[in-house]
Amino acid sequence: MVRFVKKPPKFLIFDKTMKIFIIILYMITSQTVMAVTMFEQEPNNKPLQANLISPPIKVLADMKKSDQDLFLWNVTDAESLYLWDIQLQGITERLTKLDVMQIHFTEDGKAVSSFDKILSIGSKNGLGKEKLEGLLFAPGKYYFGLSYGGSGKPSSGLLSTDTLKGFDEQTIADIQKQTKGNKPAPPSSYNLTFIRGKKIYNYNPKAKLSKESPVKIKSNYSKTLFYQEQPIWAKFTISEKETVFKWQLKGLVSLGNETKVKLYDSNDKILAESNSTKDGFYQFTDLNLAQGDYFIELTSKDKYFVSTLQKQMIGEVIAGQEAEPNDKFSQANSIKFGDTITGRMSKNKEYDYYKFS
């Protein structure tokens, strides 16, 4: 049984002969999720040596000389139903790079046969945090590789004052006692943080999705299709009353699944098409749609993937006179540049929003 007190519990040290591995439990503000902070464990230079992580987590690590670090996250079904943010704070005065990869091994599992680099971010000097936000991961193994370069004299060590900032005096004393106050020599530390975001509620159709049997999308509601076989088909309808509005279609696919997205009318004419970005996002915006049925097709290089779909009303198209409601940014009236608009505000602290392109 674990009992929580105001200060973090005692630290657990697992390996005295290798780099000290400390786990600190604390409560994330406004969440009930337990977060874990850990020190990397060397060696972790190669894929078969990658440190296993289980987000949400904050990893504290350092790299010396020709060092590079690898971490492995085996995403579960439950973890794939959340959006995730990744933050990198690099080595001071050095270029620190994070590569997100999927690595494929030989049949005997002893060597790398190939790898897919999904995306990369870099920290130029370690003074700020570089972020990847709102990522969607399908179940499976993802590798996070850290490397660094450049010159300079890093100003902080793995157990420096900067690293320990935010802990109370007793906690800092406990860490320094357990580690005997040792500070690694520079090059110095970086930290990598995985933050769990909002949950996405999945929809599991009874049959394979097709144009004849698509998932139906309602306005302003997001639908998540969990690990569906591609192609994915979705359908929505524009009523006569809705033809005065502009529309936006947007979504997200699981990381590493480059996806082609197409919008069709009821006569199979392609109205718009796009590819998802490296971090999984896609959208069609400022759509003027006539009354009728519309279809969205998503195809990916992978047979199965996770995707979200959302159809949003983004404002009524007007000429001359404002149209209520338009008191929120999401309800902004769409106008032509140079038009004269007549509007009316009848209550205190009322706002009217307009947009043009």
Side-chain angles (χ1 to χ4, degrees), residues 106-173:
T106 55
E107 288 187 8
D108 60 9
K110 294 181 179 180
V112 173
S113 59
S114 64
F115 71 93
D116 298 317
K117 185 185 293 186
I118 300 172
L119 63 112
S120 303
I121 58 171
S123 170
K124 291 183 178 180
N125 53 25
L127 297 180
K129 292 182 179 179
E130 301 299 325
K131 299 178 182 180
L132 294 168
E133 298 180 318
L135 302 179
L136 186 63
F137 290 87
K141 294 181 178 181
Y142 295 82
Y143 288 81
F144 302 85
L146 280 300
S147 58
Y148 78 105
S151 59
K153 297 181 179 179
S155 58
S156 62
L158 195 58
L159 297 180
S160 68
T161 302
D162 289 342
T163 303
L164 298 176
K165 189 180 295 182
F167 294 110
D168 58 47
E169 292 182 3
Q170 184 58 51
T171 299
I172 294 173

Side-chain angles (χ1 to χ4, degrees), residues 171-183:
T171 299
I172 294 173
D174 287 344
I175 293 176
Q176 291 175 337
K177 180 179 179 181
Q178 295 284 2
T179 60
K180 299 180 181 179
N182 291 330
K183 295 183 181 181

Side-chain angles (χ1 to χ4, degrees), residues 64-108:
K64 302 180 180 70
K65 298 181 181 180
S66 59
D67 192 14
Q68 59 184 13
D69 294 334
L70 277 168
F71 301 92
L72 167 61
W73 180 16
N74 194 356
V75 178
T76 65
D77 286 359
E79 290 167 337
S80 69
L81 292 178
Y82 289 88
L83 298 180
W84 294 87
D85 295 346
I86 300 176
Q87 295 181 353
L88 168 66
Q89 185 156 15
I91 296 172
T92 305
E93 299 181 16
R94 296 292 180 100
L95 173 63
T96 310
K97 185 181 179 185
L98 167 66
D99 293 312
V100 184
M101 303 171 286
Q102 289 183 309
I103 297 177
H104 312 285
F105 293 88
T106 55
E107 288 187 8
D108 60 9

